[in-house]
């Protein structure tokens, strides 16, 4: 080294030392001559934030009995107090990171100047940060600037300015917290790789133990990790991890916290981490228990999308969310769905959504599918919200006749026991837009809307109650004409299809910029009177449009609740990290239709499971003997099918459809033998009804048999 070069380095060291000392002394001697009063206030505020701002915690979802079934988090952290951390862990981290921790006041002057000289003179690079300074840095990165890439960069940039700020905050912290509080705070916030933060979570994830039981070799391993968690990951790089662990053991010997002979013996031991990767809970619904994944995702969607909870807060707030999920009912429903349609069957989904009726709440009891919730498609998994989303072009078929019947009753066009016409073929004098087989309006190029029944037969008539059980298509198109499409559409929304009717005819949110008009319209606008179809579209009652299975279940719950609609809720209570109630405000329930109308409609829907009803065979197959309401539905070409039913205690909707390639049919060959095909033979009374009864029979075992409500004479015979 030349004399000139040495002089420049010496000058640089003097300047560096002066700046560092001035910065370090700032909180002691005052701001005058060092930095402005504003900067001083900023440092004070920052140090207070570090002492008060809570770190991210794990949110836990439990079933209605309080048993956990899923966790949500960005950082897996188990808060620990000082007495919950072993002495071995404390001395391991002190020995390797800050030997003079109990002697300095936030900044180690000797270490800082030594590091400055070594780093500037070309010696080994040294950090010289105390544990207090590292606490500051880790808090800024992992808590304060979590999710803020620019803030995180500033918190760890290699600059004197950053070091000065870090040192000042560290000294401020030392005036607010005890040494044990600082050490505990650091061990609770530091990262250990793979979303694992803090020694409590690390002890569980790495060794399957608690922080108070960490041994010397385990503590040395964890203390080694904080140097570079990604590089020293013991599962990906065991040799480097072991090398660093042994280095920590040497430092413990130097610090007189470990006997040299014991250290040498420990060095020969394996790392001792749990095999196959860290032992930690799932961080999202995708990695939760697959049978409960759909319910988990619905809880998240409901809280965030429906109730406006911040998603980041949900994943970091450390909440305990007790849900409405009935674990046993969910497992029975899941078994039924998988029995009727194999999990591995490609492009066939079988779902069941269960809701508890009530005049104050409609609690979601179960959301299942034959598929598991997850990302492995080959294993029969999906991340689509099959049981509750308004899904693609899947329809509930003739289940939509419920809304037509309800609208006709409301308009007093017909009573539940009144006779309705059942022609085999009907050309609507009101609706247009039919297929090529439908005749043109006389003297125009406008094609009428025409419809025929599923089975050929002569023209006849029957009561509206029998029509709901036997489901003739022509009858309900005629009832649409009588009630008016605007009333039918409104009834669907009132009884429960709130999200469904707000989506586009192809599913999803309407696209106002789409070149096809129907994609810029909601289903309510598309099927109801509008400028393209002033009288509405008669096909609505046949249920070809996208629909939510959960909302169909809630329709049945509304009917069985005396016409009271409530938003289907998956939440019983939410408590924050301190165990205090967190307010969750659900939409107010509504008397959607008169109670007498709902009760009469329930009686009208009570014959689907008896002889002649479309679900009679499915009900008989399980020995069903309870009063209930029900309605089957099948879309054109048997592309999807549904069964909606309810007892006074529990409502549900089962649906089978093609989630990936929606167009085509479904063939039914018995339980477990359902396939996606070009043309099908599926009906609502087959897979959907069998799924519903297979689940509901054991779920309701032991519950009292309750009668259906009595009909209101105002809606029984109006002609």
């Amino acid at each position: 080294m030349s004399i000139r070069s040495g002089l420049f380095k010496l000058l640089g060291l003097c300047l560096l030392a002066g700046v560092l000392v001035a910065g370090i002394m700032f909180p002691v001697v005052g701001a005058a001559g060092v930095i402005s009063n504003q900067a001083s206030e900023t440092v004070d505020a920052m140090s207070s934030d570090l002492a008060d701002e809570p770190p991210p915690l794990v949110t836990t979802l439990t079933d209605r009995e309080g048993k956990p079934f899923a966790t949500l988090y960005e950082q897996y952290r188990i808060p620990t107090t000082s007495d919950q951390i072993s002495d071995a862990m404390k001395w391991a981290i002190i020995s390797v990171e800050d030997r003079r921790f109990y002697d300095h006041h936030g900044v180690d002057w000797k270490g800082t100047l030594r590091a400055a000289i070594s780093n500037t003179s070309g010696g080994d690079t040294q950090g010289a940060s105390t544990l207090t300074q590292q606490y500051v840095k880790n808090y800024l990165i992992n808590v304060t600037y979590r999710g803020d890439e620019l803030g995180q960069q500033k918190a760890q940039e290699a600059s004197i300015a950053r070091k000065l700020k870090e040192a000042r905050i560290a000294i401020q912290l030392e005036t607010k917290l005890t040494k044990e509080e600082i050490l505990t705070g650091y061990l609770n916030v530091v990262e250990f790789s793979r979303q694992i933060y803090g020694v409590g979570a690390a002890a569980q994830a790495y060794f399957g133990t608690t922080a108070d039981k960490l041994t010397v070799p385990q503590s040395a391993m964890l203390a080694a990790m904080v140097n570079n968690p990604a590089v020293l990951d013991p599962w990906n790089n065991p040799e480097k991890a072991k090398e660093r662990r042994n280095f920590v053991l040497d430092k413990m010997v130097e610090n007189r916290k470990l006997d040299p002979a014991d250290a040498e013996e420990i060095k020969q031991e394996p790392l001792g981490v749990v095999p196959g990767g860290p032992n930690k809970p799932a961080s999202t619904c995708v990695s939760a228990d697959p049978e409960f994944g759909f319910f988990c995702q619905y809880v998240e969607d409901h809280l965030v999308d429906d109730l406006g909870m911040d998603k980041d807060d949900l994943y970091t707030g450390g909440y305990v969310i007790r849900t409405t999920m009935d674990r046993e009912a969910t497992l029975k429903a899941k078994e039924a769905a998988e029995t009727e349609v194999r999990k591995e069957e490609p492009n066939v989904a079988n779902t069941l959504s269960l809701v508890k009726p009530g005049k104050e709440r409609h609690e979601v009891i179960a959301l299942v599918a034959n598929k598991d919730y997850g990302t492995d498609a080959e294993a029969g998994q999906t991340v689509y919200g099959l049981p509750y989303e308004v899904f693609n072009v899947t329809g509930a078929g003739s289940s939509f006749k419920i809304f037509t019947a309800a609208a006709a009753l409301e308009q007093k066009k017909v009573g539940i026991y009144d006779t309705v016409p059942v022609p085999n073929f009907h050309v609507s004098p009101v609706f247009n837009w039919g297929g090529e087989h439908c005749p043109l309006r006389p003297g125009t190029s406008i094609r009428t809307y025409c419809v025929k029944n599923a089975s050929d037969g002569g023209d006849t008539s029957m009561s509206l109650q029998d029509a709901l059980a036997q489901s003739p298509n022509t009858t309900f198109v005629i009832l649409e004409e009588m009630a008016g499409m605007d009333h039918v559409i409104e009834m669907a929304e009132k009884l429960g299809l709130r999200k469904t009717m707000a989506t586009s005819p192809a599913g999803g949110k309407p696209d106002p910029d789409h070149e096809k008009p129907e994609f810029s319209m909601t289903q309510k606008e598309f099927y109801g009177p509008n400028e393209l179809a002033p009288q509405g579209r008669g096909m609505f009652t046949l249920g070809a449009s996208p629909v939510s299975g959960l909302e169909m279940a809630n329709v049945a719950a509304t009917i069985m609740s005396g016409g009271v609609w409530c938003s289907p809720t998956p939440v019983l209570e939410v408590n924050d990290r301190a165990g205090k109630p967190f307010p969750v405000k659900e939409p107010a329930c509504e008397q959607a239709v008169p109670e007498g109308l709902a009760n009469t409609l329930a009686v009208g829907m009570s014959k689907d499971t008896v002889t002649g009803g479309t679900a009679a065979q499915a009900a008989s197959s399980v020995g069903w003997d309870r009063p209930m309401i029900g309605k089957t539905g099948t879309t054109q070409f048997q592309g999807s099918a549904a069964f909606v039913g309810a007892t006074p205690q529990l409502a549900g909707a089962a649906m089978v459809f093609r989630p990936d390639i929606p167009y085509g049919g479904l063939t039914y060959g018995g339980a477990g033998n359902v396939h996606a095909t070009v043309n099908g033979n599926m009906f609502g009374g087959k897979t959907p009804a069998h799924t519903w009864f297979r689940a509901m029979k054991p779920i309701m075992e032991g519950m009292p048999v309750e009668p259906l409500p009595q009909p209101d004479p105002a809606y029984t015979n109006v002609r």
Side-chain angles (χ1 to χ4, degrees):
M1 179 186 298
S2 67
I3 295 176
R4 183 179 181 182
S5 175
L7 288 173
F8 274 118
K9 287 199 172 183
L10 180 60
L11 177 60
L13 288 174
C14 291
L15 291 172
L16 176 61
V19 171
L20 287 172
V21 172
I24 291 165
M25 293 297 292
F26 157 68
V28 180
V29 302
V34 182
I35 200 167
S36 68
N37 289 331
Q38 183 178 1
S40 175
E41 293 171 0
T42 301
V43 170
D44 281 338
M46 183 67 75
S47 63
S48 297
D49 287 344
L50 288 177
D52 300 334
E53 185 179 4
L57 294 182
V58 176
T59 289
T60 302
L61 276 61
T62 79
D63 61 20
R64 63 190 303 114
E65 303 302 324
K67 185 176 180 180
F69 69 88
T71 49
L72 307 174
Y73 62 86
E74 289 184 358
Q75 298 180 4
Y76 176 41
R77 178 178 282 106
I78 301 174
T80 54
T81 59
S82 179
D83 60 356
Q84 293 172 328
I85 304 173
S86 72
D87 288 340
M89 185 67 234
K90 293 177 182 178
W91 284 116
I93 200 71
I94 289 172
S95 297
V96 72
E97 295 294 331
D98 188 4
R99 186 174 174 179
R100 284 184 287 275
F101 174 67
Y102 288 107
D103 299 326
H104 61 68
H105 298 287
V107 178
D108 185 352
W109 290 25
K110 293 180 181 179
T112 299
L113 293 176
R114 183 186 67 247
I117 293 170
S118 177
N119 296 345
T120 309
S121 62
D124 293 338
T125 301
Q126 298 182 25
S129 292
T130 65
L131 277 176
T132 312
Q133 288 173 279
Q134 291 185 48
Y135 180 30
V136 172
K137 179 180 177 180
N138 277 275
Y139 220 102
L140 291 173
I141 294 170
N142 299 333
V143 181
T144 304
Y145 296 130
R146 177 184 51 82
D148 180 353
E149 185 176 347
L150 181 60
Q152 289 186 337
Q153 289 175 357
K154 289 182 178 180
Q156 52 192 327
E157 65 184 5
S159 69
I160 293 177
R162 194 270 295 177
K163 276 289 187 183
L164 282 173
K165 180 179 180 181
E166 184 181 276
R168 289 195 294 270
I169 298 173
I171 294 177
Q172 289 285 68
L173 274 183
E174 293 262 358
T175 68
K176 297 174 179 291
L177 305 175
T178 66
K179 286 289 187 180
E180 284 305 305
E181 288 173 332
I182 291 171
L183 178 60
T184 303
Y186 169 81
L187 286 172
N188 271 292
V189 78
V190 69
E191 181 182 2
F192 288 94
S193 86
R194 303 199 189 201
Q195 291 182 277
I196 301 165
Y197 292 78
V199 69
Q204 179 63 41
Y206 281 71
F207 303 108
T209 189
T210 53
D212 62 317
K213 293 182 173 62
L214 286 170
T215 63
V216 170
Q218 291 171 341
S219 298
M221 173 71 248
L222 295 183
M225 284 293 300
V226 303
N227 180 257
N228 194 329
V231 171
L232 297 171
D233 185 301
W235 293 279
N236 288 337
N237 207 338
E239 292 303 318
K240 281 191 176 296
K242 188 173 184 179
E243 179 182 340
R244 180 69 183 178
R245 180 202 67 176
N246 292 348
F247 175 77
V248 175
L249 294 171
D250 289 338
K251 290 299 179 182
M252 293 181 73
V253 171
E254 290 179 17
N255 203 22
R256 298 185 180 183
K257 299 303 175 184
L258 181 64
D259 184 81
D262 291 338
E264 292 305 313
E265 184 177 339
I266 294 172
K267 286 181 182 180
Q268 307 308 311
E269 295 181 7
L271 295 175
V273 295
V274 296
N279 176 32
K280 62 175 184 173
S283 61
T284 67
C285 294
V286 170
S287 47
D289 290 340
E291 60 267 37
F292 306 130
F294 292 111
F295 202 99
C296 172
Q297 191 60 57
Y298 180 64
V299 172
E300 178 179 328
D301 292 348
H302 182 69
L303 288 172
V304 174
D305 298 337
D306 299 340
L307 304 185
M309 187 176 187
D310 182 74
K311 184 175 180 179
D312 181 73
D313 187 33
L314 175 63
Y315 271 74
T316 62
Y319 297 101
V320 176
I321 301 172
R322 188 161 73 94
T323 74
T324 58
M325 189 187 81
D326 184 310
R327 186 180 293 263
E328 292 304 314
T330 296
L331 294 176
K332 289 181 173 67
K334 173 72 168 169
E335 181 182 6
E338 287 188 12
T339 299
E340 293 299 328
V341 179
R342 293 186 311 112
K343 181 187 303 183
E344 299 79 14
E345 186 64 43
N347 196 29
V348 182
N350 189 31
T351 69
L352 183 59
S353 308
L354 301 179
V355 178
K356 186 177 180 180
K359 294 190 176 183
E360 295 182 354
R361 288 170 60 85
H362 287 179
E363 296 177 358
V364 183
I365 301 301
L367 294 171
V368 302
N370 63 316
K371 308 288 185 183
D372 289 337
Y373 190 79
T375 56
D376 188 349
E378 292 185 0
Q381 296 182 354
T382 180
V383 292
Y384 294 139
L386 299 177
Y388 66 89
E389 287 185 1
V390 182
F391 199 81
N392 211 346
V393 296
T394 299
S398 293
S399 297
F400 272 38
K401 292 171 182 174
I402 295 171
F403 311 124
T404 305
L409 289 173
E410 184 183 50
Q411 296 299 306
K412 301 292 182 69
K413 299 297 183 181
V414 65
I416 204 70
Y417 298 139
D418 283 334
T419 299
V420 292
V422 187
N424 186 53
F425 184 77
H426 176 68
V427 177
S428 175
V430 174
F431 303 121
N432 300 317
W433 309 94
E436 293 183 356
H437 61 285
C438 295
L440 297 175
R441 294 261 176 244
T444 74
S445 59
I446 299 174
R447 198 166 293 281
T448 60
Y449 179 69
C450 63
V451 63
K452 69 181 298 294
N453 293 325
S455 58
D456 292 330
D459 296 344
T460 183
S461 62
M462 62 181 67
S463 70
L464 177 55
Q465 185 183 46
D466 286 334
L468 281 165
Q470 299 179 36
S471 203
N473 294 334
T474 56
T475 298
F476 287 91
V477 173
I478 293 171
L479 289 176
E480 280 184 319
E481 297 165 359
M482 295 167 61
M485 184 57 73
D486 52 343
H487 295 297
V488 175
I489 295 294
E490 183 183 13
M491 182 60 69
E493 191 170 32
K494 286 196 296 188
L495 287 179
L497 299 192
R498 307 296 172 101
K499 291 183 179 179
T500 292
M501 299 310 295
T503 61
S504 77
K509 295 181 179 178
D511 181 3
D513 298 323
H514 199 285
E515 60 183 11
K516 294 183 178 180
E518 56 263 38
F519 289 102
S520 66
M521 305 167 71
T522 65
Q523 291 197 55
K524 182 177 181 180
E525 295 166 332
F526 178 82
Y527 286 103
N530 58 69
E531 61 183 23
L532 296 177
Q535 305 304 319
R537 302 181 190 243
M539 68 183 76
F540 179 77
T541 197
L542 303 184
S545 58
V547 66
S548 160
L550 175 59
E551 286 200 322
M552 287 302 294
N554 202 38
V555 166
T558 300
I559 295 170
M560 294 304 296
S561 302
V564 175
W565 172 89
C566 301
S567 174
T569 179
V571 177
L572 281 173
E573 62 180 357
V574 180
N575 290 314
D576 64 18
R577 66 176 67 207
K580 297 180 179 179
F582 179 84
V584 176
K585 187 173 178 57
E586 297 280 359
C589 296
E590 304 170 10
Q591 186 70 51
V593 297
E595 185 168 7
L597 170 59
N599 292 345
T600 306
L601 180 61
V603 173
M605 295 173 60
S606 65
K607 296 182 69 175
D608 202 29
T609 58
V610 301
T611 302
T614 55
Q617 189 277 328
S620 175
S621 70
V622 299
W624 185 264
D625 57 359
R626 291 173 179 266
M628 63 168 289
I629 66 173
K631 185 72 191 76
T632 59
T634 309
T635 60
Q636 194 172 18
F637 308 118
Q638 286 72 42
S640 61
F643 179 73
V644 180
T647 67
Q649 299 104 315
L650 192 58
M655 295 184 64
V656 60
F657 53 93
R658 300 161 55 111
D660 298 315
I661 307 172
Y663 300 102
L666 292 166
T667 62
Y668 175 82
N673 185 17
V674 177
H675 307 285
T677 54
V678 176
N679 294 303
N681 63 354
M682 179 62 68
F683 286 95
K686 293 182 177 179
T687 294
H690 280 279
T691 300
W692 196 96
F693 286 105
R694 185 185 290 275
M696 291 288 279
K697 177 72 172 179
I699 288 173
M700 299 205 66
E701 197 73 39
M703 293 186 189
V705 176
E706 294 187 5
L708 293 178
Q710 292 298 308
D712 185 333
Y715 301 100
T716 54
N717 298 94
V718 301
R719 292 178 178 176

